[in-house]
Every structure is written in structure tokens, then in C-alpha cells.
């Protein structure tokens, strides 16, 4: 078999049939079992039409290697992470393409303890074995068991992250994007109601539907945000929450329908944790950092920078014991959730933070937005990524006060900074610019760098 292009830096993503199909999925399942020495593996899947057949193929590969497959059925990625630890499994695989186009699918994988699998500790070996097909003889004992009832324990774990006594009455609008979030959220909402949480909930695009009639659930895209923003205003909601397809990311909207950029969410959630546990470590990615770094320092915490991507953030969380980690892309990680990401926990924390502060989400953000204006992530398709980065470096590095290469190229100046990096998952260059209190400087530098990048 030729090299498998669906293997990326920290997960599997590929175009259906040409890069990922049932045969490849079978090979990945079989290779995962052998490389990880697994005897029990959790398996979940999202709502895409192709996910069931791919998950079935993974299950066959695992079973032929003698593995007991613990089948979650339709579920979110974070439920796979949770069940892996809760059920004392040797690892977990969720078949999902998250927010990728309809003709894509993929897998996110963890090992025992819901720990990430990187290139050096399994991913490269799984890829090599799946390509070669040089598997050991089939082993007896493989079977598939329905473990979807573990959702109740997952919901109980989520409930540990919110102080119900602090909540004030709130109208919440949620947009599942017809992805996997709906049933899981309903289970959580039922638990909140039973515990007396004073929440009025409005659901839109809630029923799982793999044809995605409202479009691929990726609330980070400007064109998708009105799907949540408009109904927030129409229904008079205090806050809106939208999830991507496998709901390991969540996105917030204020009561006026304003989208909340991810870097400000990280700063606010860092504040929430440091109020509970002063002096703790907070992990952040290197793209847009000043709001988080300054807020963490002011509150007596320690800000720690990590390379972008869930496997890198998770490992940094585990290595440092950080209580919380966040990426501006809306991935949020929690020490007490196996150092894994969740799209439900941030919602609970934000509801509590708004309740405790007695302010709207928009009011909470006013000072942060004014002090730390940013460009948002701007993506470029270029023929030669390395050449573009080299040209930007030659232009700006001699003038920079500090330089960082944790992930891509980050250069800081007196009152602005930027991060330019090649995507780990798509053929794109990603640019982020931020400034201190000068939105016009962000616009000026974005125009300047855009001209250099696009020629």
C-alpha cells in the first residue's frame, strides 16, 4: 500500500475513498491494537454518513486482533476520552471529521489514561504497520460490547465543574449544528434541571443529521456565525453557545449576538480557575497570548506556552500539572478531565462566571477587547510556505524585541506582535496579529503583511 496521507501530526483526517476508506480504517484498527498492545478499546463515532461504516471497519480490525471493543455509538470525541479512563480501557478511537468538509472523515486516538498519542509514541508506528499490512495472525477473543450507558457517568463528571449554588436565572441558546452534541447536551441539561439549575434553554439545529442541512458545523467561520447570532437576539438569550461536529470545541456569543474570539475565552476561563485555585499553572498556545498572559500574571498564576494542537497541549498539561489549558481555536483542556478537551465544560464555567460576576458576557469582554485588539486568524494558501515564512522573517526579525519558535514564527515588538505558522492539518499558512490598545495598528500591520504574503 502507498503511504497513507490521512495521518497528520496528531490525528487522522482524509478525503473519503482516495485517502480514507473502510479498508484503510480496518488497517488502522488492526495496527492500533498491535502497536498499543491493547486488549480493550473504546470506539465512538460522529454523525456523518460515512462514520458508521468506518467505525465498523475499525471495530473489525480491533476484533481480529483479539480486542474487546467498547462501543459508544454516536458520541462526542470527549466522551471517547472520558470512557477510555472511566472504563479502564487501553485506549480510545473516535471516528470523526469534526468541522471538515462533507467528503472528509478521520479519527482521533488516545492511549491508556486518555493520554495523547504523538508521532514518537505510537502514531508513526501505527501508520507504518497500517501501510505494510504485516499484521500478526488473528487472535481469538475479539468482541463488541455496547457501552453507551456510560454517558450517565460522563454527565456526572461534567457536573463536578459547576457550582450550582452560584447560578442565577439565565436564558441560554444552544446550536448543535446537527452534529453529535444534541443527545449529549440533552443528558447534561436533564441533570442540570434535576439539580435545580435556573436555566431556560433554547435549542436550534439540535437533531443529529449527517447531511448537515444548516451547513458543516464550524462556528469559527464568519459565514456560519449568523446561524447562532441571529437567534440569540430573536429569542432574547443571555448567551449563545455553538459546537462543531464532534463538540470538542464550543463557541460563545453575547446577548447582542456578538461572537467572542477564542483568545478572550481563554483569558476568562483562566480567571475562573485562578479564582478557585490561586497560583495554578495555565497553558496557552502561541498564536494570540497577551490577554491570557497578562490576566494570569495579574491573578498570581503561571502562564505556560505550548505548541498548537490537542496532543501537544495535553502533553504539556500532563507534564506541568496545569489546571487548565486553552487554544484560541476554541479547544479547552482540563486537568480534572484527564487533561483532555471538552466543549461542554467551558459552557458550564462561563455560565457560572457570568452569574458570579453579575455582568453580561459582553460586559466581561469590554476591557479585554479594548486592551488587546487582535486580527483573528487569517489563513493564506501559498505555493511555498517555507519561502513565505523566510521572507517575513527577513523583513521583521531585525526589528523585533523578542523571538519565539514554539510553533511557527512569533515576533514581538513594543506594542504589537504576530505569529505565523504552517497548519498541522491543512495546507495553509495561519497569521495572527495582536496589539496593546491600538486596533488601528492591527489593521495596519495586517494589510502590510498580507501584501508581503500574497505578493
Amino acid at each position: 500500500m502507498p503511504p497513507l496521507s490521512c495521518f497528520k501530526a496528531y490525528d487522522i483526517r482524509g478525503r473519503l475513498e482516495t485517502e480514507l476508506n473502510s479498508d484503510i480504517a480496518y488497517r488502522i484498527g488492526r495496527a492500533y491494537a498491535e502497536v498499543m498492545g491493547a486488549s480493550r478499546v473504546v470506539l465512538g463515532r460522529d454523525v456523518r454518513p460515512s462514520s458508521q461504516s468506518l467505525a465498523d471497519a475499525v471495530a473489525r480490525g480491533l476484533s481480529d486482533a483479539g480486542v474487546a471493543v467498547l462501543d459508544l455509538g454516536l458520541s462526542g470525541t470527549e466522551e471517547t476520552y472520558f470512557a477510555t479512563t472511566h472504563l479502564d480501557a487501553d485506549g480510545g478511537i473516535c471516528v470523526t471529521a469534526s468541522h471538515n468538509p462533507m467528503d472528509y472523515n478521520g479519527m482521533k486516538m488516545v492511549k491508556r489514561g486518555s493520554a495523547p498519542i504523538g508521532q514518537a509514541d505510537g502514531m508513526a508506528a501505527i501508520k507504518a504497520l497500517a501501510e505494510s499490512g504485516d499484521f500478526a495472525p488473528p487472535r481469538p477473543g475479539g468482541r463488541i460490547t455496547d457501552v453507551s450507558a456510560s454517558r450517565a457517568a460522563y454527565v456526572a463528571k461534567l457536573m463536578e465543574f459547576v457550582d450550582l449554588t452560584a447560578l442565577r436565572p439565565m436564558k441560554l441558546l444552544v446550536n448543535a449544528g446537527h452534529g453529535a452534541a444534541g443527545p449529549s447536551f440533552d443528558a447534561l441539561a436533564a441533570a442540570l434541571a434535576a439539580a435545580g439549575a435556573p436555566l431556560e434553554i433554547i435549542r436550534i439545529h439540535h437533531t443529529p443529521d449527517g447531511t448537515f442541512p444548516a451547513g458543516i458545523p464550524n462556528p469559527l467561520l464568519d459565514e456560519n456565525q449568523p446561524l447562532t447570532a441571529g437567534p440569540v437576539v430573536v429569542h432574547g438569550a443571555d448567551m449563545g453557545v455553538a459546537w462543531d461536529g464532534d463538540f470538542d470545541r464550543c463557541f460563545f456569543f453575547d446577548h447582542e449576538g456578538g461572537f467572542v474570539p477564542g483568545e478572550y475565552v481563554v483569558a476568562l476561563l483562566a480567571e475562573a480557575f485562578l479564582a478557585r485555585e490561586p497560583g495554578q499553572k495555565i497553558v496557552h498556545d502561541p498564536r494570540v497570548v497577551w490577554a491570557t498572559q497578562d490576566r494570569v500574571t495579574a491573578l498570581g498564576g503561571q502562564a505556560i506556552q505550548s505548541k498548537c494542537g490537542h496532543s501537544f497541549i495535553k502533553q504539556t498539561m500532563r507534564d506541568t500539572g496545569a489546571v487548565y489549558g486553552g487554544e484560541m481555536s476554541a479547544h479547552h483542556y482540563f486537568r480534572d478531565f484527564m487533561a483532555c478537551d471538552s466543549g461542554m465544560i467551558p459552557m458550564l464555567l462561563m455560565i457560572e462566571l457570568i452569574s458570579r460576576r453579575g455582568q453580561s458576557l459582553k460586559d466581561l469582554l469590554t476591557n479585554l477587547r479594548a486592551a488587546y485588539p487582535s486580527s483573528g486568524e487569517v489563513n493564506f494558501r501559498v505555493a511555498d510556505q517555507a519561502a513565505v515564512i523566510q521572507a517575513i522573517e527577513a523583513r521583521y526579525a531585525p526589528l523585533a524585541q523578542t523571538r519565539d519558535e514554539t510553533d511557527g514564527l512569533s515576533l514581538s515588538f513594543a506594542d504589537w506582535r504576530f505569529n505565523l505558522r504552517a497548519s498541522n492539518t491543512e495546507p495553509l499558512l495561519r497569521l495572527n496579529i495582536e496589539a496593546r490598545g491600538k486596533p488601528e495598528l492591527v489593521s495596519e500591520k495586517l494589510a502590510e503583511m498580507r501584501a508581503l504574503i500574497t505578493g
Side-chain angles (χ1 to χ4, degrees):
M1 173 173 282
L4 293 175
S5 59
C6 59
F7 278 80
K8 308 303 181 185
Y10 43 76
D11 57 20
I12 293 168
R13 304 186 195 200
R15 191 181 296 274
L16 290 168
E17 299 311 321
T18 57
E19 294 182 296
L20 183 61
N21 56 34
S22 292
D23 176 62
I24 293 171
Y26 172 89
R27 287 167 170 263
I28 290 171
R30 190 78 179 270
Y32 178 97
E34 292 192 23
V35 170
M36 306 310 296
S39 60
R40 287 161 46 87
V41 175
V42 171
L43 179 63
R45 60 172 175 82
D46 71 14
V47 72
R48 289 169 183 258
S50 60
S51 293
Q52 181 68 72
S53 60
L54 291 175
D56 289 345
V58 172
R60 289 196 302 273
L62 293 168
S63 296
D64 284 354
V67 169
V69 180
L70 309 178
D71 184 21
L72 288 173
L74 177 65
S75 55
T77 302
E78 67 189 70
E79 292 183 271
T80 299
Y81 300 154
F82 171 79
T84 297
T85 293
H86 175 69
L87 299 174
D88 194 30
D90 299 308
I93 301 172
C94 187
V95 175
T96 178
S98 185
H99 61 281
N100 286 102
M102 282 293 292
D103 57 341
Y104 278 74
N105 215 318
M107 301 177 206
K108 296 179 181 179
M109 305 188 295
V110 290
K111 55 187 175 182
R112 172 168 284 278
S114 307
I117 300 175
Q119 291 295 318
D121 59 356
M123 188 69 79
I126 292 170
K127 178 178 184 290
L129 184 55
E131 287 173 348
S132 72
D134 188 19
F135 304 123
R139 295 175 53 195
R143 63 190 183 279
I144 300 173
T145 303
D146 183 342
V147 295
S148 58
S150 65
R151 178 166 288 161
Y154 158 73
V155 168
K157 183 64 179 178
L158 297 181
M159 294 287 284
E160 295 177 6
F161 284 86
V162 61
D163 180 359
L164 294 169
T165 65
L167 302 189
R168 64 173 175 84
M170 187 179 301
K171 182 184 286 189
L172 178 69
L173 181 138
V174 297
N175 181 359
H178 295 294
S184 302
F185 174 81
D186 287 343
L188 174 59
L192 288 166
L199 302 176
E200 177 184 349
I201 297 170
I202 300 152
R203 297 164 169 86
I204 62 172
H205 307 306
H206 199 69
T207 304
D209 183 343
T211 67
F212 298 122
I216 299 297
N218 183 6
L220 193 58
L221 297 179
D222 291 344
E223 59 267 31
N224 287 349
Q225 291 166 14
L227 293 172
T228 306
V232 165
V233 175
V234 168
H235 290 280
D238 296 296
M239 184 175 74
V241 179
W243 293 282
D244 64 355
D246 61 339
F247 70 90
D248 60 351
R249 295 188 299 160
C250 72
F251 303 82
F252 293 95
F253 296 77
D254 65 32
H255 70 285
E256 295 181 354
F259 178 76
V260 182
E263 65 263 29
Y264 304 127
V265 176
V266 175
L268 288 176
L269 295 186
E271 175 184 333
F273 275 103
L274 291 172
R276 296 180 180 189
E277 301 185 49
Q280 285 290 329
K281 299 180 178 70
I282 304 292
V283 174
H284 62 84
D285 71 68
R287 288 173 283 190
V288 181
V289 303
W290 279 344
T292 297
Q293 288 178 344
D294 289 0
R295 180 62 61 94
V296 169
T297 299
L299 294 173
Q302 181 181 345
I304 298 172
Q305 185 165 277
S306 169
K307 191 172 181 178
C308 300
H310 74 91
S311 67
F312 303 114
I313 298 279
K314 288 172 183 174
Q315 194 58 54
T316 302
M317 294 275 293
R318 288 168 178 264
D319 291 343
T320 63
V323 66
Y324 162 69
E327 294 185 270
M328 64 168 290
S329 57
H331 283 283
H332 302 279
Y333 308 82
F334 306 93
R335 180 195 61 200
D336 297 333
F337 192 71
M338 303 82 61
C340 289
D341 38 341
S342 165
M344 294 293 172
I345 294 171
M347 175 191 66
L348 296 173
L349 294 170
M350 195 66 78
I351 291 169
E352 181 179 333
L353 182 62
I354 291 171
S355 296
R356 287 187 180 280
R357 292 282 292 271
Q359 295 176 284
S360 69
L361 179 54
K362 183 178 180 180
D363 289 340
L364 286 177
L365 291 163
T366 298
N367 291 337
L368 282 173
R369 286 181 181 274
Y372 308 100
S374 70
S375 63
E377 192 155 83
V378 183
N379 294 309
F380 300 90
R381 289 188 181 273
V382 298
D384 190 337
Q385 294 181 345
V388 170
I389 293 174
Q390 186 176 23
I392 294 292
E393 179 181 9
R395 168 68 176 81
Y396 291 102
L399 306 173
Q401 292 182 344
T402 63
R403 174 191 182 112
D404 181 84
E405 295 183 52
T406 299
D407 199 344
L409 176 67
S410 295
L411 297 177
S412 298
F413 309 85
D415 49 6
W416 74 286
R417 69 179 290 279
F418 74 83
N419 171 264
L420 182 66
R421 56 183 283 271
S423 169
N424 287 314
T425 58
E426 300 176 82
L428 298 171
L429 275 182
R430 305 191 188 278
L431 172 66
N432 286 276
I433 301 173
E434 61 183 319
R436 294 193 182 276
K438 297 179 179 180
E440 70 280 1
L441 184 58
V442 173
S443 298
E444 172 192 329
K445 293 302 179 182
L446 178 57
E448 185 178 288
M449 296 187 72
R450 186 190 298 274
L452 285 170
I453 292 172
T454 60

